[in-house]
């Protein structure tokens, strides 16, 4: 029986608000999985890099979950690409957590993203416990699908990921597609790669309340609302949503009376270099009266935006899973998304939404316009979307993750005999 797990999330804290900076679906994943484990009586200690001198060294946000804010490098102004140079400091403080306790304090290490995986390989060796790793994104996959304006991931990251794949006791892939990529691109042992889908909080993201949500948000009852939610950066392709809106209005000028395009989120990654680029594009396309930018919001207000929307658009160049798509469907909102990565699992094409090959705004305009102007189709997809999303609860994610943990622990113990 597992008693205590070290959860490593070096470059971003699960307590940060998703949608800004480096905070996104992985943050949701780590905190929701930790909550499920804590509810099952397993103590979770999360290690993340401190980003403010005002953060307490140790914080207990909920019973059974302890967050360690590790001082590693400058508190502010450090970009993700600069973090590898600070890993030695991070490793030192993570290892100290074991030294300050009885031997065998942790039963297992679960690392998230390649930076944490590098730390996890050291902790695995020093603590003599199994390492389970979740990539979330992979350099070789991202480099094969670069968005315009994005820089390629460095060779150092690729080498680091290859090392993690070689040393981890178990790898968790979000989808069968990601499992295939780990095996084919990173030569992972198929026996050590398990598929565990991320989940959705169906208590927060729930259907049947569009009118109520629109009233709270000040959205007109008859609005044809297209929503983009997430980090504003080339990888997520929010520009495709605006360009698709312009195409729709060119084809159907009367739609302008009802069309609303709402972008919820903040600049991130390479998008920080030109934080006003998307707003500037909106002006250039003549969409000033159509587009609304909303800063990053909490989960419950985000659920309101999903519920208020007629359709949610996820045109990313790459997604390891696509939590936005599942959250939107849990709220009963169909999704138009790119046919990439985990989105092919998150969205049932032609049933709960539409998957688009490529990133041609005209193709997105066609799919969006059909959903906006065909209420019967939208309602049919809405009902099926809710049922589809119900199969992705965090309790299911936790149960399957625990099965992977048990396999890792059993194999590790057998290797010691």
């Amino acid at each position: 029986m597992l008693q205590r797990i070290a959860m490593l999330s070096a470059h971003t804290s699960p307590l940060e608000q998703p949608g800004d900076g480096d905070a996104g679906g992985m943050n949701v994943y780590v905190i929701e999985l930790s909550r499920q484990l804590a509810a099952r009586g397993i103590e979770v200690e999360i290690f993340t890099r401190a980003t403010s001198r005002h953060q307490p060294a140790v914080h207990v946000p909920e019973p059974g979950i302890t967050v360690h804010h590790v001082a590693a490098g400058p508190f502010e102004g450090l970009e993700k690409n600069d973090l590898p140079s600070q890993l030695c400091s991070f490793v030192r403080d993570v290892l100290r957590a074991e030294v300050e306790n009885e031997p065998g304090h942790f039963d297992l290490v679960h690392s998230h993203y390649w930076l944490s995986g590098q730390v996890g390989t050291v902790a695995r060796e020093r603590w003599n416990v199994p390492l389970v790793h979740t990539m979330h994104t992979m350099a070789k996959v991202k480099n094969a699908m670069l968005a315009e304006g994005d820089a390629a991931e460095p060779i150092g990251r690729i080498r680091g990921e290859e090392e993690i794949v070689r040393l981890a006791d178990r790898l968790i892939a979000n989808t069968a597609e990601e499992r295939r990529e780990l095996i084919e691109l990173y030569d992972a042992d198929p026996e050590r790669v398990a598929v565990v889908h991320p989940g959705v909080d169906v208590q927060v993201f729930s259907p049947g309340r569009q009118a109520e949500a629109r009233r709270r948000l000040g959205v007109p009852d008859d609005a044809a609302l297209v929503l983009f939610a997430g980090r504003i950066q080339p990888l997520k392709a929010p520009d495709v949503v605006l360009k698709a809106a312009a195409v729709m209005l060119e084809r159907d000028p009367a739609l302008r009376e009802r069309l609303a395009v709402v972008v919820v989120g903040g600049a991130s990654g390479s998008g920080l270099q030109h934080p006003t680029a998307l707003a500037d594009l909106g002006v250039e396309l003549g969409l000033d009266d159509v587009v609304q930018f909303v800063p990053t919001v909490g989960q419950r207000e985000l659920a309101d935006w999903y519920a208020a929307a007629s359709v949610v658009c996820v045109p990313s160049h790459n997604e390891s899973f696509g939590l936005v798509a599942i959250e939107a469907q849990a709220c009963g909102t169909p999704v138009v998304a790119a046919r990439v990565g985990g989105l092919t699992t998150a969205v049932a094409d032609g049933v709960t939404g539409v998957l688009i090959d490529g990133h041609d705004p005209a193709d997105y305009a066609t799919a969006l316009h059909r959903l906006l102007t065909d209420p019967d189709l939208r309602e049919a997809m809405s009902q099926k979307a809710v049922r589809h999303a119900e199969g992705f609860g965090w309790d299911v994610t936790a149960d399957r993750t625990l099965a992977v943990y048990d396999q890792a622990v059993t194999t590790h113990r057998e290797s010691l005999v």
Side-chain angles (χ1 to χ4, degrees):
M1 173 66 180
L2 295 173
Q3 294 182 318
R4 189 176 293 105
I5 291 170
M7 196 81 72
L8 307 183
S9 182
H11 81 286
T12 178
S13 170
L15 302 182
E16 294 293 328
Q17 177 63 58
D20 266 330
D22 292 321
M26 193 185 92
N27 299 67
V28 177
Y29 185 111
V30 172
I31 193 63
E32 291 294 346
L33 175 59
S34 297
R35 283 172 175 153
Q36 290 288 334
L37 295 175
R40 289 161 170 77
I42 300 171
E43 292 185 39
V44 181
E45 296 193 26
I46 303 172
F47 295 84
T48 189
R49 196 181 75 85
T51 55
S52 168
R53 67 183 70 255
H54 302 298
Q55 289 173 318
V58 179
H59 175 53
V60 181
E62 300 175 26
I65 301 176
T66 301
V67 178
H68 298 265
H69 292 113
V70 178
F75 290 116
E76 300 169 355
L78 199 65
E79 296 184 1
K80 187 163 61 175
N81 289 339
D82 298 324
L83 290 178
S85 64
Q86 308 300 327
L87 286 185
C88 286
S89 298
F90 192 87
V91 168
R92 181 195 62 219
D93 273 29
V94 169
L95 295 182
R96 185 179 296 154
E98 172 83 0
V99 173
E100 293 174 350
N101 291 282
E102 294 294 323
H105 184 68
F106 294 112
D107 298 306
L108 177 141
V109 177
H110 188 172
S111 55
H112 299 266
Y113 191 65
W114 79 278
L115 291 170
S116 299
Q118 291 281 282
V119 180
T121 60
V122 179
R124 173 188 184 273
E125 186 72 21
R126 293 287 292 273
W127 297 344
N128 196 21
V129 297
L131 169 65
V132 174
H133 180 75
T134 306
M135 285 289 192
H136 294 282
T137 62
M138 293 178 283
K140 292 181 181 181
V141 177
K142 289 184 72 173
N143 286 350
M145 303 179 180
L146 278 181
E148 184 178 348
D150 258 353
E153 293 295 320
I155 189 66
R157 174 177 176 180
I158 294 174
R159 295 291 178 260
E161 290 176 343
E162 290 173 339
E163 181 180 47
I164 294 162
V165 169
R166 180 171 56 86
L167 296 177
D169 295 86
R170 287 292 187 278
L171 298 165
I172 291 180
N174 286 334
T175 63
E177 173 69 9
E178 185 180 345
R179 181 179 186 273
R180 181 192 65 78
E181 291 164 346
L182 280 165
I183 295 168
E184 295 183 1
L185 300 179
Y186 289 86
D187 198 28
D189 178 356
E191 295 296 319
R192 294 191 292 115
V193 187
V195 175
V196 179
H197 300 314
V200 60
D201 187 339
V202 293
Q203 301 303 314
V204 174
F205 300 98
S206 58
R209 51 197 180 83
Q210 185 180 80
E212 176 188 348
R214 288 191 170 194
R215 281 196 298 274
R216 275 201 294 266
L217 297 171
V219 176
D221 291 340
D222 66 342
L225 174 55
V226 178
L227 177 69
F228 171 91
R231 289 171 287 168
I232 300 175
Q233 61 181 125
L235 175 69
K236 302 294 185 180
D239 61 300
V240 171
V241 183
L242 270 61
K243 292 173 182 175
V247 172
M248 281 194 290
L249 292 177
E250 183 179 354
R251 295 174 178 173
D252 181 7
L255 182 63
R256 195 175 205 105
E257 296 180 8
R258 298 191 301 119
L259 183 62
V261 177
V262 176
V263 176
V264 177
S268 173
S270 54
L272 291 169
Q273 298 173 14
H274 306 285
T276 65
L278 194 63
D280 294 342
L281 176 62
V283 173
E284 180 184 329
L285 294 173
L287 299 175
D288 309 53
D289 57 327
V290 171
V291 179
Q292 177 184 355
F293 292 92
V294 177
T296 303
V297 298
Q299 294 283 281
R300 295 193 179 278
E301 187 172 343
L302 179 59
D304 273 350
W305 278 112
Y306 287 141
S310 308
V311 59
V312 170
C313 191
V314 189
S316 306
H317 288 273
N318 181 46
E319 287 285 353
S320 60
F321 184 66
L323 277 178
V324 164
I326 282 293
E327 291 171 349
Q329 290 170 96
C331 292
T333 305
V335 175
V336 172
R339 194 189 301 274
V340 298
L343 289 170
T344 60
T345 298
V347 179
D349 188 24
V351 179
T352 68
V354 180
L355 294 175
I356 305 292
D357 293 311
H359 295 83
D360 187 339
D363 294 334
Y364 285 83
T366 299
L368 290 169
H369 188 268
R370 186 181 175 205
L371 277 164
L372 292 175
T373 57
D374 188 339
D376 291 337
L377 174 63
R378 194 167 64 247
E379 178 60 25
M381 284 193 169
S382 172
Q383 293 179 11
K384 293 170 184 174
V386 174
R387 291 195 292 272
H388 177 64
E390 287 173 348
F392 292 87
W394 282 113
D395 57 337
V396 176
T397 301
D399 288 341
R400 292 177 178 171
T401 301
L402 279 172
V404 176
Y405 289 172
D406 288 340
Q407 292 167 1
V409 169
T410 299
T411 304
H412 180 74
R413 287 174 180 168
E414 290 174 352
S415 71
L416 299 177
V417 176

